[in-house]
């Protein structure tokens, strides 16, 4: 079995394909072709968001591919800025209308704070607001609009805030995770709680492509830097979400059926954060 055919089982029993296809910064007009290419090379899991402005194109591409709805896994997100129950309800309805699907497979709160405040020291934490937004996600889950619900960019205390008040627990946390940026404490917490970690930006939005340390491991294995980055995230027990709009890259990124041995994983672990 190839990675493309494998699944993680989330804590609510829903299976999620082990590799997902990202669509951030994929324009709405480009999304149909990118998504169709992804399905053609074997992806069955597509990640979008209201904030990406491409749900319509993603939905169009998925339908044009002519595959049964239940053979694909679609994730979308309630925007980080929408912090009331009513806004979240409205956003979920809009997402489904844009995608032209009656449900998504995974629905996430995009971030615990609005983006302008996300990395601002001393910004409010939005605990009460996130609990209200979570209520809307729980209703979507109960109404069959989402087969699973989760969070994104949530820190441990953001998750604990939801966990202490919810009736449906979050099954996934989609976070930035790549070589040099592995958020070990948060990942260990999520994995101990049975929360699946989805690794967004597994190639650091392209910033790792020129890294000489990764290039050395890639040359040794006869793989590309991108493939080593994606495989690294998978071997750490996370679910990588690579993004591309180029057919050759989309196909290449799906070919990660190889093993990085312990020595090379240690060498990759030692690489510093490209964001610093
Ligand atoms: N929840 C969140 O807040 C959040 C935040 C960021 C990302 N995400 C999700 O995670 C996905 C991936 O993250 P990302 O978009 O930041 O980037 P990424 O997958 O880390 O990197 C994408 C970049 O790498 C390039 N690339 C991909 N494969 C390549 C290859 N084989 N060879 C050379 N270049 C290659 C792409 O080029 P081209 O596109 O030009 O082909 C693009 O510039 C997003 O699309 C989104 O779905 C979520």
């Amino acid at each position: 079995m190839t990675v493309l055919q494998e699944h993680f089982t989330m804590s609510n029993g829903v299976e999620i394909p082990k590799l997902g296809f990202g669509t951030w910064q994929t324009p709405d007009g480009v999304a149909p072709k990118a998504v169709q290419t992804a399905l053609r090379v074997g992806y069955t899991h597509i990640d979008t968001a209201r904030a990406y402005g491409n749900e319509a194109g993603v939905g169009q591409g998925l339908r044009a591919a002519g595959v049964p709805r239940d053979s694909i896994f679609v994730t979308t997100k309630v925007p980080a800025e929408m912090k009331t129950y009513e806004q979240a309800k409205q956003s979920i309805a809009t997402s489904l209308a844009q995608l032209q699907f009656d449900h998504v497979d995974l629905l996430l709160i995009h971030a615990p704070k609005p983006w302008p405040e996300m990395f601002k020291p001393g910004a409010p934490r939005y605990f009460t607001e996130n609990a209200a937004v979570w209520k809307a996600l729980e209703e979507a889950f109960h109404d069959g609009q989402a087969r699973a619900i989760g969070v994104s960019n949530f820190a441990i205390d953001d998750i604990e805030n939801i966990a202490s008040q919810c009736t449906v627990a979050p099954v996934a946390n989609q976070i930035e995770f790549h070589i040099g940026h592995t958020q070990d404490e948060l990942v260990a917490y999520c994995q101990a709680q049975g929360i699946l970690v989805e690794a967004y930006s597994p190639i650091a939005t392209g910033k790792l492509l020129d890294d000489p340390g990764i290039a050395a491991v890639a040359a040794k294995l006869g793989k590309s830097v991108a493939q080593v980055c994606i495989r690294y995230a998978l071997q750490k027990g996370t679910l990588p979400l690579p993004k591309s709009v180029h057919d050759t890259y989309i196909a290449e990124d799906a070919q990660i059926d190889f093993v990085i041995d312990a020595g090379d994983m240690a060498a990759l672990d030692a690489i510093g954060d490209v964001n610093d």
Side-chain angles (χ1 to χ4, degrees):
M1 197 186 307
T2 71
V3 171
L4 284 169
Q5 296 162 319
E6 291 175 10
H7 295 80
F8 289 110
T9 302
M10 297 188 286
S11 62
N12 67 349
V14 170
E15 291 195 332
I16 180 169
K18 276 195 175 181
L19 184 66
F21 181 66
T23 65
W24 177 42
Q25 304 189 99
T26 301
D28 198 34
V30 175
K33 180 175 175 287
V35 162
Q36 285 179 76
T37 303
L39 292 191
R40 200 170 54 243
V41 306
Y43 282 92
T44 53
H45 171 184
I46 311 292
D47 183 80
T48 182
R50 270 297 298 289
Y52 301 167
N54 61 16
E55 288 172 313
V58 166
Q60 194 188 319
L62 291 174
R63 275 186 306 283
V67 295
R69 173 66 185 90
D70 63 4
S71 69
I72 46 171
F73 191 102
V74 182
T75 299
T76 198
K77 315 182 189 92
V78 172
E81 289 71 26
M82 297 194 178
K83 289 293 175 222
T84 69
Y85 166 83
E86 290 77 16
Q87 285 174 331
K89 291 286 279 186
Q90 183 57 52
S91 178
I92 295 163
T94 304
S95 285
L96 294 175
Q98 293 279 336
L99 285 160
Q100 292 185 39
F101 288 136
D102 62 0
H103 72 279
V104 291
D105 298 280
L106 179 61
L107 177 65
L108 306 176
I109 302 180
H110 206 142
K113 303 176 206 172
W115 286 115
E117 295 170 48
M118 203 42 208
F119 307 105
K120 202 157 116 192
R125 299 304 308 272
Y126 291 89
F127 287 138
T128 307
E129 292 82 354
N130 282 319
V133 171
W134 188 254
K135 268 227 131 350
L137 269 70
E138 287 182 333
E139 288 180 10
F141 173 75
H142 289 307
D143 294 346
Q145 293 177 318
R147 294 174 63 225
I149 55 177
V151 295
S152 178
N153 296 294
F154 270 43
I156 293 173
D157 55 357
D158 295 311
I159 297 172
E160 284 176 341
N161 171 55
I162 298 293
S164 66
Q165 307 179 54
C166 65
T167 58
V168 180
V171 296
N173 189 14
Q174 184 179 121
I175 60 171
E176 181 176 354
F177 182 98
H178 49 77
I179 294 169
H181 189 86
T182 50
Q183 307 208 57
D184 295 344
E185 191 189 349
L186 177 56
V187 170
Y189 169 84
C190 290
Q191 292 178 340
Q193 300 295 317
I195 296 172
L196 175 73
V197 175
E198 293 191 300
Y200 79 61
S201 303
I203 318 167
T205 321
K207 292 196 289 284
L208 289 176
L209 290 166
D210 298 326
D211 185 279
I214 306 174
V217 171
K220 196 167 126 187
L221 293 170
K223 301 294 171 187
S224 72
V225 167
Q227 287 171 321
V228 167
C229 290
I230 298 162
R231 179 71 204 185
Y232 174 89
L234 191 68
Q235 286 188 211
K236 290 286 186 180
T238 71
L239 190 160
L241 297 169
K243 171 263 179 186
S244 175
V245 293
H246 293 97
D247 290 3
T248 49
Y249 295 166
I250 295 171
E252 180 183 310
D253 295 353
Q255 301 306 314
I256 54 164
D257 290 284
F258 61 97
V259 175
I260 306 171
D261 70 20
D264 286 334
M265 284 298 281
L268 297 172
D269 284 340
I271 289 171
D273 193 343
V274 75
N275 295 325
D276 291 342

